[in-house]
Amino acid sequence: MEKNEVSVKVLLTGATGFVGAAVLRQLIDHPDFGGDDVRVLVRETSDRRNLDGLACEIVMGELCDQSSLKHALQGCQVLFHVAADYRIWVREPEEMINTNVTGTTNIMDAALSANIEKVIYTSSVAALGINADETPADETTPSSLASMIGAYKRSKYLAEQEVRRLINKHALPAIIVNPSAPLGPRDIKPTPTGRLIINAAKGGLPAYVDTGLNFVHVDDVAYGYILAYEKGKIGERYILGGDNLSLKTLLEKVAEIMGKMAPKICIPHKVVLPFAHLAEVWTRLTNGSEPFATVDGVNMSKKKMYFTSAKAERELGYTHRPAENALRDAIKWFGDNGYLD
């Protein structure tokens, strides 16, 4: 793309992560920005592999350090806030609340003080309501804090509510995007969705529960951010999703790609739940990493989390490729980078 004569300085948070790294590539290629105009906020301890070879300005800072946020936003006109703690299980839920809620409040307050002209804020479909009849939910589907299962969903719900308060009370110029479950390259951590694909590709899921999610290619989500920047309306939110798939169908597609047999056994939620309780207790006793099954994960899986991106398609011109394409790209990247060894 030919670069505009009048450049716009942008700050991106979360650039070292999965979605943020995809957004960074879109920003660098955008005519309004470019390597000299894209600044990324990075923690000292962050894994920076997703920044390798990319032309951008790196500034050090933390969402809990307001002075670092003020410094990072100096000279910027646009903020893309993508950074978040995305885990289904956490040993200390307050850590997640601090990053996702307090951290969001801090950077939005800093954006107001810096007179930022436009903010693209990353919420999640996790903050939205879902339909009991399994039809796809949209941006207007009712939700409440009481319906949010687990620390992650509660934190994203509370953070979005805080952004909405700042929009309504202090004229924060924010546009909200709600990505669904992303798949694709550069999931270095990996995310909970990425771990699901890795386990399935390695044949580590002999059975499944009856649930479903909306899966989308991470690069389609990233382009949705650009469309929100270009065409989104202040105060509106837009679901950036893909295909609604049952877990059974997803595992069948992974098995087909890998040339393996798909799991045939569907285990009732009530059977899995006691094992999830035991797994969490064992993890705490042994000071281990995230358990193989979690209570919140099982409870969330009792309802199919299906969504529609019709509003983003209609108002932004958003499109997405088939979920199978995203799966193939994710599996190839995981294979190429040793995650399937």
Side-chain angles (χ1 to χ4, degrees), residues 138-275:
D138 63 17
E139 292 84 353
T140 66
T141 303
S143 62
S144 66
L145 182 59
S147 68
M148 298 291 121
I149 298 172
Y152 177 70
K153 294 190 75 168
R154 287 195 296 272
S155 71
K156 294 303 288 185
Y157 178 88
L158 291 170
E160 185 176 317
Q161 292 302 306
E162 178 63 12
V163 171
R164 289 192 167 279
R165 182 187 71 82
L166 293 171
I167 292 170
N168 294 330
K169 299 291 186 180
H170 299 282
L172 177 73
I175 299 159
I176 301 169
V177 293
N178 300 76
S180 62
L183 297 170
R186 301 178 297 275
D187 190 0
I188 60 174
K189 197 170 185 178
T191 60
T193 314
R195 286 200 301 275
L196 170 66
I197 302 307
I198 291 170
N199 289 336
K202 294 172 70 172
L205 297 177
Y208 60 91
V209 294
D210 181 23
T211 192
L213 293 167
N214 184 284
F215 297 97
V216 61
H217 198 294
V218 69
D219 291 337
D220 294 336
V221 171
Y223 189 57
Y225 278 75
I226 298 301
L227 293 172
Y229 162 74
E230 293 176 340
K231 304 177 183 179
K233 298 177 182 177
I234 302 299
E236 293 291 323
R237 61 181 176 186
Y238 302 92
I239 294 173
L240 303 178
D243 291 341
N244 294 306
L245 299 177
S246 68
L247 180 56
K248 179 178 185 292
T249 300
L250 179 81
L251 297 179
E252 288 172 345
K253 289 182 179 294
V254 173
E256 180 182 352
I257 293 168
M258 297 300 297
K260 298 180 178 180
M261 291 291 293
K264 303 293 184 184
I265 302 171
C266 181
I267 305 178
H269 296 93
K270 63 182 180 181
V271 174
V272 181
L273 196 56
F275 288 98

